[in-house]
Each structure stands twice: as C-alpha cells, then as structure tokens.
Amino acid sequence: MLRPSLLIVTPTGTVAVPREDHDDVARFRLSEADVARLRSSEHELRAPCLAFQCDAFLSTSSDKRRWGWSIRVSRKGKPLAGQHLDGTPLPMRRDGYTRARTGRIPEHSVMARDHDLIGLA
C-alpha cells in the first residue's frame, strides 16, 4: 500500500496539500492560493518547491517487497516541466510523468519511504 503526500515549501513556511484518492491514483490539486505561494518568492535565494513523499507499507497478504512511484505535474491537463532544486530537469516520460522511482522494502521491515523536491521550471 502506498501513501503519498505533497507539501508546498516556501521560505516562510510549509503547507500540506490535501490528497484525493481515485482508484490506484492519488491526486493533489493546488488552489489559486497554493499557486500564488509557489510563485510568490520564485526569485528568492531559496525558491519555493513541491516536496513529494511516498511511504510504502507491506501488505500482510503480500510477499512482494518492490515498490515504486511516479508523479505528473500538470496545469489544465498539460504536463509542466519540473526540475530538481539544482536546476537539472526531472527525467520525464512522453506522457508527462517522471520516470518511475523504484525501491525495495528492507527485510525485517514492513515500511519504506522515498521523496523528491521539485521546483517548477
């Protein structure tokens, strides 16, 4: 089971973006105020970013320890280019999703975690 979360991180604070679950897809919708937060200090030394985190939990009925996630940032259905905080572009697939990040839940554990900090290009 995957539990993703998304935060908007700015020099003045952090705001959690509510998650909407649709079948196997989690969606996060940014309000106009959220977009304004992201754009408010984009020229500051520490530009605002999206902090995406995904926790994976091993199901009691599963022995598969591999897991992964991918994210797509879009506006009005069109994918937006994202970048790492050092300015390098996020590797994207043709459909606008980032390349899948995969991991493995360690032996003797029932949970793993991964994250990415995403700036908007």
Side-chain angles (χ1 to χ4, degrees):
M1 173 181 358
L2 300 179
R3 288 285 180 232
S5 62
L6 184 69
L7 300 172
I8 296 173
V9 181
T10 69
T12 59
T14 302
V15 175
V17 179
R19 184 180 76 226
E20 302 169 8
D21 293 322
H22 299 277
D23 298 322
D24 289 339
V25 175
R27 294 180 186 213
F28 300 92
R29 295 192 191 275
L30 301 182
S31 67
E32 288 186 34
D34 292 333
V35 173
R37 260 187 214 93
L38 278 169
R39 303 187 87 187
S40 65
S41 51
E42 60 189 338
H43 301 295
E44 297 286 328
L45 183 58
R46 290 186 322 165
C49 67
L50 297 171
F52 178 78
Q53 178 175 308
C54 192
D55 299 333
F57 298 92
L58 186 64
S59 169
T60 56
S61 62
S62 176
D63 61 351
K64 296 180 181 176
R65 294 188 167 271
R66 289 196 72 58
W67 68 284
W69 61 269
S70 185
I71 188 171
R72 179 177 189 240
V73 179
S74 63
R75 184 173 190 177
K76 296 182 181 176
K78 296 187 183 207
L80 298 175
Q83 61 189 20
H84 295 285
L85 296 187
D86 65 2
T88 58
L90 289 172
M92 307 287 280
R93 300 184 325 208
R94 289 183 187 180
D95 61 2
Y97 282 88
T98 58
R99 287 199 194 129
R101 299 258 302 255
T102 59
R104 184 164 176 74
I105 297 175
E107 294 295 324
H108 308 294
S109 179
V110 295
M111 188 229 174
R113 172 178 289 154
D114 193 13
H115 75 279
D116 209 350
L117 300 176
I118 302 167
L120 297 179

